[in-house]
């Protein structure tokens, strides 16, 4: 299921509820399975990243001794769905009555066989009910809210984390077929604020003293942007920002426009043309942000910015009122160093959200327009540290932009260099600084791929999932050879 499709389905069929994950890439309709495989999803802090203990996936294992086959496909079912009880746990396909070599066909048979057992019609599809075994297991990270409010020297979430059943942060070592996730209550009212700070210390105090004071009373989101990020988005991202603001981040129009951009970039000699055109058009377009927020972004003494949304829920609490009280006290205590602007109208909120959504896409446009080379990384810093890692002076970065999911301290950083700089070496230097100097973890949510070396414990976990090394060989610095030989 695609995340945008799921979001729309839940909104249409379950009023007052929200689906689990919302990403900046929602317009591409990325799959829920991909989110689980990487542990992605940090913008919605009340929900946590895409993890679950209820899943259906396939893994390849060594065949039993004496078998004529080299390998066996195993079905792991912890969905906890009533009607699939007989197929729970880890089973070889031969163990399932009727056998069969076609795993997908066999899975279809199991699901079709459940249609009259614990299943009722609903909407335009089937609604399956949870059972009393795996159906009681968590389908989101229930401790995540407590982690956010504990400001110690550990990172909150990162790709190399080994918690949870195999499908979580598996990075292709198992084949995820289905997952179960909680839905979440939608706030009956919410407010969105743009808050600008003179220094990072004040921004950190806002997080600890205003936003994350109670794990049961969290904002919807807290998104951070530094001055470099503001300047790059405004200087290179207006075209896409207005497109997203007008159509909405989940619109098929945005997906089609992105697909067209990718198509043109794939043509011979055209790889930089779409970004270069957007850069040339940028100054002919008005700012995406409202004037009051533009003034804060351009203020010479406001270097750090937070976009936060706080909701009120039907549980009888006073989340919004409590937040506003803490915020008022905070502003009074930091007079002259903090400015708060409420985004009171839908166009203003849409503009601010589109501005933040555009960050990752604006950077290559900026580089293309200025003939620069760039690197993009994502990393998790310890919860008690949010300051930018110090870059090696010899690499001479031309532009640096940092934007983060501020609550969980997962940072996205883009750095531009002049032609001639070895960007891969620069990226590996930054990984060393994040991991070994700052005590963080890089990467945090975009995966190791074949570029980053995973920690030993993570490699061992993946090797246990896939002992023959037939699923995504080479990930995280593992061998590409059969059986890791």
């Amino acid at each position: 299921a695609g995340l945008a499709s799921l979001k729309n389905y839940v909104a249409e069929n379950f009023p007052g509820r929200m689906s689990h994950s919302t990403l900046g890439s929602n317009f591409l309709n990325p799959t829920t399975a991909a989110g689980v495989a990487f542990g992605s999803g940090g913008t919605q802090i009340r929900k946590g990243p895409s993890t679950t203990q209820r899943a259906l996936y396939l893994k390849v294992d060594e065949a039993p001794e004496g078998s004529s086959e080299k390998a066996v496909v195993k079905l792991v079912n912890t969905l906890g769905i009533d009607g699939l009880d007989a197929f729970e746990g880890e089973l070889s396909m031969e163990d399932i009555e009727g056998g069969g070599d076609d795993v997908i066909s066999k899975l279809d048979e199991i699901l079709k066989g459940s249609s009259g057992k614990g299943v009722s019609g609903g909407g335009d599809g089937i609604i399956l009910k949870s059972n009393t075994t795996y159906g009681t297991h968590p389908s989101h990270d229930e401790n995540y809210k407590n982690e956010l409010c504990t400001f110690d020297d550990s990172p909150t979430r990162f790709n190399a984390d080994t918690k949870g059943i195999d499908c979580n942060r598996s990075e292709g070592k198992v084949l995820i077929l289905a997952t179960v996730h909680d839905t979440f209550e939608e706030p009956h009212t919410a407010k969105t604020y743009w808050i600008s700070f003179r220094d990072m210390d004040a921004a950190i105090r806002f997080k600890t003293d205003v936003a994350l004071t109670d794990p049961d009373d969290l904002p919807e989101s807290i998104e951070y942007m530094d001055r470099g990020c503001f300047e790059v988005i405004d200087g290179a991202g207006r075209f896409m920002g207005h497109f997203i603001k007008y159509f909405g981040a989940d619109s098929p129009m945005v997906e089609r426009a992105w697909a067209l951009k990718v198509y043109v970039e794939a043509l011979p000699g055209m790889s930089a043309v779409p970004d270069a055109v957007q850069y040339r058009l940028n100054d002919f377009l008005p700012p995406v942000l409202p004037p009051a927020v533009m003034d804060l972004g351009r203020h010479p003494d406001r270097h750090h910015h937070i976009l936060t949304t706080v909701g009120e829920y039907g549980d009888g609490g006073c989340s919004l009122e409590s937040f506003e009280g803490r915020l008022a006290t905070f502003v009074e205590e930091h007079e002259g160093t903090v400015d708060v602007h409420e985004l009171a109208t839908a166009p203003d909120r849409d503009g601010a959200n589109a501005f933040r959504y555009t960050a990752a896409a604006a950077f290559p446009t900026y580089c293309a327009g200025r003939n620069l080379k760039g690197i993009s990384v994502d990393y998790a810093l310890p919860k008690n540290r949010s300051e930018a890692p110090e870059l090696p002076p010899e690499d001479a970065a031309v532009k640096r932009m940092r934007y983060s999911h501020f609550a969980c301290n997962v940072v996205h950083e883009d750095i531009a260099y002049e032609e001639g700089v070895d960007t891969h070496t620069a990226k590996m230097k930054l990984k060393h600084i994040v991991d070994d100097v700052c005590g963080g973890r890089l990467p945090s949510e975009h995966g190791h791929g074949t570029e980053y070396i995973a920690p030993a414990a993570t490699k061992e976990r993946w090797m246990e999932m896939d002992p023959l090394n037939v699923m995504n060989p080479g990930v995280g610095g593992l061998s590409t050879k059969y059986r890791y030989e």
Side-chain angles (χ1 to χ4, degrees):
L3 290 178
S5 301
L6 182 62
K7 176 185 175 183
N8 295 333
Y9 179 83
V10 171
E12 292 170 5
N13 292 277
F14 301 94
R17 305 297 296 180
M18 297 185 293
S19 61
H20 177 263
S21 288
T22 300
L23 307 178
S25 57
N26 254 32
F27 67 91
L28 296 175
N29 206 19
T31 66
T32 303
V36 172
F38 292 107
S40 302
T43 62
Q44 309 291 294
I45 64 178
R46 296 175 68 93
K47 305 173 184 179
S50 295
T51 58
T52 183
Q53 297 299 99
R54 300 178 60 182
L56 183 72
Y57 56 94
L58 301 175
K59 58 193 299 186
V60 180
D61 204 350
E62 297 187 74
E65 189 175 347
S67 172
S68 60
E69 303 294 335
K70 290 184 178 180
V72 60
V73 175
K74 290 186 175 179
L75 175 74
V76 181
N77 174 23
T78 66
L79 285 173
I81 290 177
D82 198 8
L84 296 182
D85 311 66
F87 306 101
E88 289 189 326
E90 182 174 301
L91 301 169
S92 296
M93 294 309 294
E94 293 95 357
D95 296 334
I96 299 174
E97 185 178 354
D101 295 325
D102 189 334
V103 175
I104 302 301
S105 296
K106 178 53 61 180
L107 176 61
D108 287 341
E109 289 178 26
I110 294 170
L111 292 174
K112 289 175 182 176
S114 73
S115 59
K117 186 176 180 182
V119 179
S120 59
D124 57 358
I126 304 173
I127 294 180
L128 304 172
K129 297 180 180 178
S130 296
N131 62 20
T132 57
T133 53
Y134 289 102
T136 63
H137 289 197
S139 45
H140 77 283
D141 187 346
E142 296 177 341
N143 191 50
Y144 185 71
K145 60 182 182 180
N146 298 312
E147 288 282 338
L148 292 180
C149 298
T150 305
F151 303 105
D152 56 25
D153 59 0
S154 64
T156 303
R157 60 185 185 89
F158 49 95
N159 289 129
D161 196 351
T162 57
K163 294 197 302 285
I165 61 175
D166 284 351
C167 62
N168 294 295
R169 295 170 302 280
S170 51
E171 296 202 30
K173 280 299 184 181
V174 300
L175 179 60
I176 302 172
L177 301 173
T179 52
V180 173
H181 299 272
D182 289 320
T183 60
F184 293 80
E185 181 184 6
E186 191 174 50
H188 57 75
T189 186
K191 290 184 178 181
T192 300
Y193 301 90
W194 183 284
I195 309 174
S196 297
F197 306 85
R198 183 177 66 187
D199 52 57
M200 177 59 87
D201 286 343
I204 294 172
R205 298 306 300 177
F206 164 80
K207 177 166 67 172
T208 59
D209 296 355
V210 179
L212 303 181
T213 60
D214 183 352
D216 294 316
D217 188 16
L218 297 173
E220 288 290 303
S221 62
I222 312 172
E223 294 296 290
Y224 165 84
M225 292 163 276
D226 71 356
R227 175 175 291 278
C229 183
F230 181 93
E231 292 172 347
V232 169
I233 298 173
D234 184 57
R238 291 184 181 182
F239 182 86
M240 186 172 183
H242 279 294
F243 204 87
I244 292 175
K245 179 181 178 180
Y246 182 81
F247 289 105
D250 300 329
S251 169
M253 286 297 297
V254 180
E255 182 180 4
R256 293 188 193 110
W258 187 262
L260 177 61
K261 178 178 184 288
V262 172
Y263 173 79
V264 173
E265 288 172 340
L267 297 175
M270 300 289 282
S271 61
V273 170
D275 282 315
V277 170
Q278 288 185 69
Y279 188 81
R280 298 293 185 274
L281 289 173
N282 196 81
D283 289 344
F284 293 99
L285 299 172
V288 178
L289 293 169
V293 176
M294 285 300 300
D295 288 343
L296 292 177
R298 290 168 172 166
H299 193 295
D301 200 31
R302 295 294 180 266
H303 304 285
H304 307 274
H305 310 280
I306 284 176
L307 177 65
T308 184
T309 298
V310 184
E312 195 73 81
Y313 299 85
D315 54 8
C318 300
S319 297
L320 189 52
E321 180 181 347
S322 176
F323 174 87
E324 290 180 321
R326 295 192 301 273
L327 179 60
T329 300
F330 176 83
V331 172
E332 184 177 346
E333 293 174 348
H334 293 78
E335 184 178 0
T337 66
V338 178
D339 292 300
V340 178
H341 177 76
E342 181 185 348
L343 298 161
T345 68
D348 284 359
R349 290 190 295 273
D350 292 343
N353 286 320
F355 188 87
R356 169 60 183 86
Y357 272 131
T358 308
F363 178 68
T365 300
Y366 179 87
C367 290
R370 299 198 172 208
N371 196 29
L372 299 170
K373 298 169 64 176
I375 64 171
S376 298
V377 297
D378 59 294
Y379 53 85
L381 289 175
K383 288 173 286 184
N384 59 7
R385 168 179 186 148
S386 295
E387 300 88 351
E390 187 174 345
L391 298 179
E394 66 270 16
D395 290 337
V398 175
K399 193 70 172 178
R400 183 181 191 184
M401 62 180 283
R402 299 177 76 244
Y403 46 107
S404 74
H405 312 308
F406 204 52
C408 62
N409 248 10
V410 167
V411 180
H412 299 272
E413 179 159 353
D414 302 321
I415 307 173
Y417 300 94
E418 295 284 359
E419 292 288 341
V421 173
D422 185 340
T423 53
H424 177 73
T425 298
K427 184 182 287 190
M428 292 305 109
K429 286 181 182 178
L430 180 55
K431 175 173 171 57
H432 164 69
I433 294 168
V434 169
D435 289 354
D436 301 329
V437 178
C438 299
R441 293 293 185 92
L442 190 161
S444 59
E445 62 180 6
H446 290 166
H448 292 81
T450 57
E451 184 173 27
Y452 298 115
I453 305 299
T458 306
K459 289 182 179 180
E460 290 170 7
R461 179 174 181 254
W462 288 338
M463 291 170 72
E464 290 176 4
M465 292 182 203
D466 177 27
L468 301 180
N469 199 23
V470 297
M471 302 290 286
N472 200 18
V475 66
L478 289 172
S479 169
T480 59
K481 297 180 179 179
Y482 184 60
R483 295 180 182 269
Y484 306 96
E485 296 172 354

